[in-house]
Every structure is written in C-alpha cells, then in structure tokens.
Amino acid sequence: MSMGTPLGWHIGMRLADDRVLASTPHERRLLSRGVLRHGERARLVAYRAVDTHLHAELLCERAEVGRFTRSVGSAVAAALGRQVPLHMSFVKPIADQRHGLATLRYILGQERHHGLDSDPFHEASNLPDLLGLRVLGAHTARVLGQAFPRVRRLELLEAFGGAASSEAQELELLEDAAAAAFALPDLRGRGPEIVVARRAAVQAAGRAATAGELARLLGAGVRTVERLRLQPCGPDLVAAVRGQWRLRSGWRASTPTRAAADGLVATPSARV
C-alpha cells in the first residue's frame, strides 16, 4: 500500500569535502542567514547545523526541495568562503503529523545526539527564531504554529539544554546580543539592518546605561544614541535583543571560564 502525499521532507546537507560547516558564532550566523533567507518559500519549520552537516525539515512539495537545497548550498558556501557548495546528502519523506513532530525534535536535538556542546545558543539553528530571540526567521515560528500547534514554549526552551537566563544583564554583552538577534556577525558599519539592530539594542538597554556608555559600546556618537532612543522600534525586535542579552548574561554567570575560553560570548571589538 502506497503512502499518501508526504507531510514534508527531512533533508541533510554537507560540503563535498566534508569539512566543518561553521566553527565560530560569526560563521554560524552567516550560515543561518543563508538558510533562513531561502526557507520561507519551502515552508522551513526547523534546521540545525552541527560540525559537518545540516538537517532541515521542509513542509513543501518535492519540487521545492531541490530549489531550496540549490539556493542554500550556494548562499551558505559563498557567505562562509567555501570553494564548493553544500549538496543534499539525503531526502526522506515525512509521512504524517507524528513523524513530523519526531523529526522536529530530532533536528533541534542534533548537538545532544552527537555529544557536542559548541553552540549552546543555537546560532546554527532556528530555535532562537521559534522562541522570539531572533527576527530573521520569524516565518519558521508561523509555520510551526500552523503545522504543530501542540509544541509548547517549555519544550522549545528545554531544547536549549540548560543554557541559563539572567535578569541581571552585563552591559558588555549587549552588542553581541543585538548582533545575534539579527543574525549579524557584529554591529560594525552603517547598513540598514545594523542601524535597526543598534536602535533595538539602545532601547533594550533602556535607562540601565547612559548614552555615553552605549555610545562607547556600540561605536556610535552620544547624539546618535539619544536619537535612537526616541525613534520607533518594533517591540518584537527589542524583546529579541533583551532575550539574547539575558541568555548571554546567564551563561557568563554560570560558566565564565568556559564561555571565555570557547569564544561562545564574543567580546566587544575595539573601535577608533
């Protein structure tokens, strides 16, 4: 008896030379930008990259899978400076709702499955987007709500595997938190996304820091910071930065030596 139309597809991708895909927080953000920018049309619901490979769950027609993998393979390779694109290593049909939920949990739990812990903030997955901690992949949260409404926030939080959160934020971690919320390597430059990320960072800090402190931290002028404080900024953007900030502050407080040694919390870059 043949299976009906699949609910979706579980795919794997890797580089032809099987090297590690992304080994730093900055590289993981670039990888995520490539995946998320091409995932909306394919109804991407989950992805996770670990060491040499990437898993993704797509709720689309089979023909769309090929377009997604070609686009993502080229975009990610270019962003990371790889000489060869990622290619699809397998594709499996997802039979039904139960299978789809099991695939979702399997993908988000990839680091634990492989005994790794190099990406505790899930920079190379869409878990931050599903929890409102990143804004680029908000479309995956919408797909999740439509396809798997029984998945609760607590279950997603547990997928972080013990990453702590703290209400006592460390100011020096704000810039990295804002960059992570927008999947940006850092906040250098003057591009439109960087300006929005700085605005969200300033408003996430509120009155916990002076304009002078924020200016030094973000590499901006005091008058620019004061202006950013007054400009409109979406509450979802500010909430994403605050969530990333609490997460990083909690991690720093619970594992300060390890966090610094592994480069899991980037330190602010010196600016002229």
Side-chain angles (χ1 to χ4, degrees), residues 76-195:
V76 169
L80 298 179
R82 306 297 187 244
Q83 299 303 310
V84 292
L86 279 75
H87 68 276
M88 186 165 63
S89 54
F90 70 81
V91 56
K92 300 176 182 178
I94 296 171
D96 51 31
Q97 189 81 357
R98 183 176 179 181
H99 188 188
L101 275 169
T103 301
L104 173 77
R105 290 163 179 151
Y106 174 74
I107 289 174
L108 294 180
Q110 273 294 293
E111 272 221 331
R112 196 177 308 168
H113 176 73
H114 289 284
L116 302 171
D117 61 356
S118 58
D119 184 18
F121 303 136
H122 283 250
E123 305 262 25
S125 93
N126 70 315
L127 186 56
D129 306 282
L130 298 179
L131 288 166
L133 297 172
R134 194 168 61 200
V135 297
L136 192 61
H139 56 85
T140 66
R142 290 193 294 272
V143 175
L144 177 71
Q146 294 162 2
F148 305 118
R150 293 189 181 185
V151 175
R152 296 289 177 257
R153 183 176 178 84
L154 180 60
E155 179 179 352
L156 296 174
L157 286 169
E158 289 172 349
F160 261 109
S165 182
S166 172
E167 293 299 324
Q169 297 101 320
E170 293 189 36
L171 185 60
E172 67 179 86
L173 301 178
L174 175 61
E175 180 188 15
D176 190 57
F182 288 80
L184 294 166
D186 52 51
L187 298 189
R188 299 179 187 179
R190 301 188 181 186
E193 278 188 290
I194 292 172
V195 172

Side-chain angles (χ1 to χ4, degrees), residues 198-204 206-207 211 214 222-234 238:
R198 281 180 177 159
R199 183 184 304 134
V202 167
Q203 297 190 22
R207 297 299 170 180
L214 290 172
V222 172
R223 293 180 66 179
T224 297
V225 169
E226 291 172 342
R227 187 166 59 251
L228 292 173
R229 276 180 166 164
L230 300 175
Q231 292 173 347
C233 190
V238 177

Side-chain angles (χ1 to χ4, degrees), residues 4-29:
T5 303
L7 178 68
W9 308 91
H10 176 195
I11 69 168
M13 299 183 71
R14 60 177 63 237
L15 292 166
D17 58 6
D18 220 27
R19 73 176 65 187
V20 172
L21 292 178
S23 58
T24 68
H26 289 187
E27 288 186 344
R28 292 176 192 122
R29 292 173 197 171

